[in-house]
């Protein structure tokens, strides 16, 4: 009797796992959208603070003005970083077209 041996490849499949890719995309997208919402809340808080009656008579020192400018810069930097991390429209469209259909 002849013995037949079949070797199984241990190499990882080169076929992309669409479900894992979609889940990773959605997780990253959610994280960046949360970052955008957080920075929007920061801008709203500063706008409310500066437009309120209590702050009309407050005069900022040079260091206070620099601190406020730094806060605004940090919020802008975080906003732009989160926005630039969002996927391109073409990628988003392709992912939505390939996704499961819910009917």
């Amino acid at each position: 009797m002849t013995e037949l041996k079949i070797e199984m490849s241990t190499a990882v499949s080169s076929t992309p796992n669409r479900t894992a890719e979609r889940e990773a995309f959605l997780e990253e997208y959610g994280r960046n959208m949360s970052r955008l919402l957080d920075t929007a809340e920061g801008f709203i808080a500063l706008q409310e603070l500066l437009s309120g009656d209590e702050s009309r008579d407050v005069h900022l020192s040079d260091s206070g003005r620099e601190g406020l400018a730094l806060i605004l810069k940090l919020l802008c930097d975080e906003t732009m970083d989160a926005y630039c991390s969002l996927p391109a429209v073409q990628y988003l469209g392709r992912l939505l077209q390939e996704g499961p259909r819910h009917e």
Side-chain angles (χ1 to χ4, degrees), residues 64-83:
R65 190 175 321 280
E66 288 174 16
L68 183 57
L70 178 61
I71 289 170
L72 289 170
K73 180 188 179 315
L74 293 173
L75 282 171
C76 287
D77 289 348
E78 177 67 8
T79 300
M80 289 307 297
D81 186 51
Y83 178 77

Side-chain angles (χ1 to χ4, degrees), residues 28-91:
E28 181 71 16
Y29 186 83
R31 186 172 28 258
N32 286 311
M33 287 304 292
S34 292
R35 289 172 61 198
L36 284 174
L37 290 174
D38 290 345
T39 56
E41 289 175 0
F43 281 119
I44 290 168
L46 282 171
Q47 186 273 332
E48 289 175 352
L49 175 69
L50 296 173
S51 68
D53 290 336
E54 300 82 22
S55 64
R56 291 197 191 277
D57 296 329
V58 174
H59 298 283
L60 294 174
S61 64
D62 288 343
S63 63
R65 190 175 321 280
E66 288 174 16
L68 183 57
L70 178 61
I71 289 170
L72 289 170
K73 180 188 179 315
L74 293 173
L75 282 171
C76 287
D77 289 348
E78 177 67 8
T79 300
M80 289 307 297
D81 186 51
Y83 178 77
C84 291
S85 297
L86 292 173
V89 173
Q90 303 90 318
Y91 181 73

Side-chain angles (χ1 to χ4, degrees), residues 18 21 89-99:
R18 297 290 183 208
E21 182 181 319
V89 173
Q90 303 90 318
Y91 181 73
L92 182 60
R94 181 177 65 95
L95 191 67
L96 292 174
Q97 288 173 356
E98 292 175 355

Side-chain angles (χ1 to χ4, degrees), residues 7-25:
E7 291 188 29
M8 299 297 288
S9 173
T10 58
V12 177
S13 172
S14 62
T15 306
N17 183 342
R18 297 290 183 208
T19 302
E21 182 181 319
R22 183 180 179 86
E23 287 177 16
F25 164 79

